[in-house]
Amino acid sequence: MVTLPTRVTIYVKDVTNITGRSERTGRKLLALIRKANGKPPHAFVTVEEFCAFTGIREEAVRPFLQY
């Protein structure tokens, strides 16, 4: 059985699946997280940063990540 590695970054589609919000709202949320962490606009957002910003536990987020 092959095990897939867990993803470190989170994308807009993941945010829409987790929150149930629109794609545009997901983009805005990721932009807010980047700004709060002092990252440039093109930088990746990690799952840990997303969880810390939103207050959602990582165990609840991981099942929503698409590989």
Side-chain angles (χ1 to χ4, degrees), residues 10 14 22-23 60:
I10 193 160
D14 300 322
S22 69
E23 182 178 341

Side-chain angles (χ1 to χ4, degrees), residues 3 5 10 18 22-23 25 38 40 42-43 55-56 58 60 64-66:
T3 58
I10 193 160
I18 293 165
S22 69
E23 182 178 341
T25 303
H42 64 276
I56 303 172
E58 191 172 336
F64 286 94
L65 299 182
Q66 299 175 354

Side-chain angles (χ1 to χ4, degrees), residues 6-7 14 18 32 47 50 66:
T6 57
R7 235 184 328 127
D14 300 322
I18 293 165
L32 283 173
V47 175
F50 175 80
Q66 299 175 354

Side-chain angles (χ1 to χ4, degrees), residues 9-35:
T9 59
I10 193 160
Y11 299 104
V12 175
K13 188 67 175 173
D14 300 322
V15 175
T16 60
N17 286 335
I18 293 165
T19 62
R21 301 286 177 102
S22 69
E23 182 178 341
R24 184 175 178 110
T25 303
R27 288 185 188 281
K28 287 180 181 180
L29 180 59
L30 289 180
L32 283 173
I33 295 170
R34 284 186 195 98
K35 187 174 181 180

